[in-house]
Amino acid sequence: MRQRHPATAPSEHLVIVGNGMAGHRLVEALLARPERPARITVIGAETTPAYNRILLSPLLAGEMEREALTLRNAEWYAEQGIELVLGERVENIDRTARRLTTDAGRELDYDRLVLATGSNPARPPVPGLDLPGVHVFRDLGDADALARAAEQGGSAVVIGGGLLGLEAAEGLRKRGQGKRGMQVSLLQRDDRLMNRQLDLTAARLLENELRGRGLDIHTDAQLERLEAGADGQVCAAHLADGTRLAADCVVVAIGIVPNSALARSVGLDVNRGVVVDEWLTTSDPSIHALGECCEHHGNLYGLVEPIWRQVEVLADCLCGKPSTGYGEARYVDKPCATKLKVSGVSLYAFGPTDPEPGHEVLSYRDPQQGDYRRLLLRDGRLEGAVLYGDTASGPWYFEQALAGRDLAPCRPALLLGAADAQLLLDDALNESPQSPAKEAA
Ligand SMILES: Cc1cc2nc3c(=O)[nH]c(=O)nc-3n(C[C@H](O)[C@H](O)[C@H](O)COP(=O)(O)OP(=O)(O)OC[C@H]3O[C@@H](n4cnc5c(N)ncnc54)[C@H](O)[C@@H]3O)c2cc1C
């Protein structure tokens, strides 16, 4: 395949737009490579240096201090010889002159540019969404605003029963505890929570657990509009079935949309995200994109695991090392597993949520322990798993699925978990005529 990225010269100036999780991880990866471009500048629209966005959920819940989110401070960037510009948004890129402009009027020339602009929260087309008191949950400012709202008490409505909505709802509820208390309702359009990851049984277990903690959960809920009170603030959410839920605060958490407006405005190929090839190169060979703003083979990103692999490929590429050296030479999409960060709830899932034709279903449930496991196999190979309660074997199941391993030899022990199943697999391997143990003997 044609390689579209010319090798960099060490004297090149690399500019990274976005000091979020992807942009920062790229800086760390470049610093580990002696061949990195001599000059690196990072421009971030947020006013704080990159932080661990994943931990916004425990921060909101009051389980973690703000300092624990810090990845590196501004001094660290300076010590590494990296120019860090914060609180400025790149507004324009002159691709011919290779010069960008920020909203503060700063102009900067680049040889190579990386777009790591992340994504924006998706917003449903519902009247009232722009009312004061309606929030999203994306950055430190959002987490602060939600924490203040929770501490004032009253009622909140969270729109969206996926990972983010659940973490926001539990965060608000926990944060309000011990203060004035916040009554939190959660609206899920589908018939179950986390409908992209869980089967109905696991979703119901999760729902019961969260209801038991005091969350008011509405599935099959169709939000119709938000209502303003006499003070102009949001005061209620109306559902299509006529339900009215009081809301001093509303959180919109229905998903994310790649932040690709800048790329689109300067004529780069953009579909839903900024289109990149397997070297994270856009339609302009001097411009790359990675993280939640990019789109590769029609796929978009919302978890860090694939983004970390993109970082390794792009770092090699920016150091003129397209093949080997520090990791995979080309970026390839791989399946991801999901975990929920709500303390006291353990779940782990990957693959299809419901059985498809040809799937064999193995399941196990221990209502007393609150454990549930459901595996989907095709021709003895694992294609999907949902684990609720004891999730310790989740990574092992995922590893077997990724390896496409034939699990027929350990089928009787498969639901018992990794240790028992692996024993049977090892026995089968030792008994196989081609096994190394047999050959050595
Ligand atoms: C509350 C929460 C919990 C999460 N939990 C998990 C989890 O448990 N597991 C998991 O894998 N993932 C989780 N995620 C997702 C994970 O945080 C993202 O996948 C990751 O942050 C994406 O990195 P990114 O750099 O692409 O985007 P971001 O981290 O959003 O960074 C993009 C940065 O670019 C800046 N920017 C945008 N446009 C410009 C511009 N024009 N000029 C300059 N700067 C600009 C933005 O201000 C932002 O700082 C969670 C996300 C949230 C919000």
Side-chain angles (χ1 to χ4, degrees):
M1 183 181 284
R2 191 167 61 97
Q3 295 185 357
R4 295 218 322 246
H5 51 91
T8 45
S11 60
E12 281 196 340
H13 182 203
L14 170 70
V15 178
I16 301 173
V17 183
N19 186 219
M21 294 195 75
H24 174 74
R25 181 91 170 196
L26 181 63
V27 169
E28 299 261 10
L30 288 169
L31 288 171
R33 289 162 168 80
E35 310 85 349
R36 65 181 170 273
R39 186 174 168 211
I40 301 175
T41 304
V42 182
I43 305 179
E46 292 184 68
T47 48
T48 34
Y51 53 87
N52 189 339
R53 201 173 297 282
I54 290 176
L55 298 181
L56 287 175
S57 303
L59 178 73
L60 171 60
E63 296 163 353
M64 198 162 256
E65 294 299 320
R66 162 74 187 84
E67 294 69 44
L69 274 65
T70 306
L71 292 170
R72 301 283 191 180
N73 56 27
E75 290 72 41
W76 177 86
Y77 276 84
E79 280 160 20
Q80 308 303 319
I82 312 263
E83 294 163 60
L84 179 63
V85 179
L86 292 176
E88 290 187 30
R89 182 171 290 277
V90 174
E91 272 192 341
N92 192 34
I93 303 167
D94 179 341
R95 288 168 48 201
T96 314
R98 292 197 192 168
R99 178 172 303 139
L100 57 79
T101 315
T102 72
D103 58 358
R106 184 191 301 266
E107 292 198 337
L108 208 57
D109 290 337
Y110 66 87
D111 298 297
R112 210 74 88 81
L113 190 71
V114 173
L115 299 175
T117 51
S119 55
N120 294 315
R123 288 168 178 271
V126 167
L129 219 67
D130 51 355
L131 288 171
V134 179
H135 302 263
V136 292
F137 187 27
R138 181 73 200 172
D139 60 26
L140 272 174
D142 300 328
D144 285 347
L146 291 176
R148 278 196 303 276
E151 285 167 9
Q152 276 166 14
S155 49
V157 170
V158 176
I159 307 166
L163 279 173
L164 194 62
L166 288 167
E167 291 181 10
E170 250 304 271
L172 284 170
R173 188 195 64 79
K174 273 198 90 173
R175 189 70 178 223
Q177 258 177 0
K179 308 274 177 189
R180 294 181 189 175
M182 180 166 244
Q183 173 58 46
V184 184
S185 301
L186 182 132
L187 308 182
Q188 165 69 328
R189 208 171 49 171
D190 207 85
D191 66 343
R192 64 184 94 161
L193 299 175
M194 291 180 67
N195 57 299
R196 293 211 192 146
Q197 292 91 11
L198 300 184
D199 67 353
L200 201 53
T201 309
R204 290 285 181 262
L205 286 168
L206 175 63
E207 196 177 318
N208 290 341
E209 167 64 32
L210 296 177
R211 274 189 208 280
R213 295 178 182 197
L215 280 187
D216 170 37
I217 297 175
H218 299 251
T219 50
D220 289 313
Q222 197 68 45
L223 177 67
E224 212 166 60
R225 68 184 173 91
L226 299 177
E227 178 189 334
D231 57 359
Q233 294 264 331
V234 70
C235 72
H238 290 261
L239 309 189
D241 65 4
T243 307
R244 179 184 183 277
L245 297 165
D248 303 301
C249 155
V250 168
V251 186
V252 182
I254 60 163
I256 50 174
V257 181
N259 188 356
S260 50
L262 174 65
R264 195 187 296 277
S265 72
V266 298
L268 295 176
D269 282 356
V270 174
N271 191 18
R272 287 183 296 161
V274 188
V275 176
V276 294
D277 65 10
E278 39 274 86
W279 294 284
L280 291 312
T281 307
T282 68
S283 51
D284 179 336
S286 303
I287 304 182
H288 302 266
L290 89 164
E292 286 187 353
C293 68
C294 81
E295 175 175 332
H296 174 255
H297 285 188
N299 291 318
L300 300 174
Y301 306 92
L303 294 172
V304 294
E305 195 277 329
I307 298 176
W308 292 169
R309 291 188 295 104
Q310 291 178 351
V311 163
E312 293 304 310
V313 174
L314 182 53
D316 276 353
C317 181
L318 293 169
C319 294
K321 280 196 148 213
S323 58
T324 68
Y326 294 102
E328 292 166 273
R330 295 174 187 195
Y331 175 72
V332 179
D333 283 309
K334 290 182 182 168
C336 279
T338 302
K339 288 176 230 162
L340 177 70
K341 299 193 306 300
V342 164
S343 60
V345 178
S346 277
L347 52 86
Y348 189 97
F350 63 87
T353 52
D354 292 307
E356 293 165 0
H359 271 150
E360 181 191 6
V361 183
L362 297 183
S363 67
Y364 159 88
R365 189 163 171 190
D366 178 343
Q368 270 193 332
Q369 292 292 324
D371 281 341
Y372 171 66
R373 273 169 227 172
R374 193 232 45 204
L375 307 178
L376 296 178
L377 294 144
R378 191 188 299 276
D379 302 326
R381 288 171 170 77
L382 198 54
E383 289 194 348
V386 174
L387 280 74
Y388 185 94
D390 177 0
T391 57
S393 297
W396 185 85
Y397 288 127
F398 189 50
E399 198 187 308
Q400 307 310 308
L402 283 184
R405 206 156 281 141
D406 180 4
L407 299 173
C410 65
R411 194 183 178 290
L414 206 48
L415 280 172
L416 299 179
D420 295 272
Q422 187 65 53
L423 270 180
L424 287 191
L425 269 187
D426 293 344
D427 285 351
L429 192 69
N430 285 334
E431 282 162 20
S432 134
Q434 283 90 38
S435 77
K438 282 269 152 108
E439 276 166 23

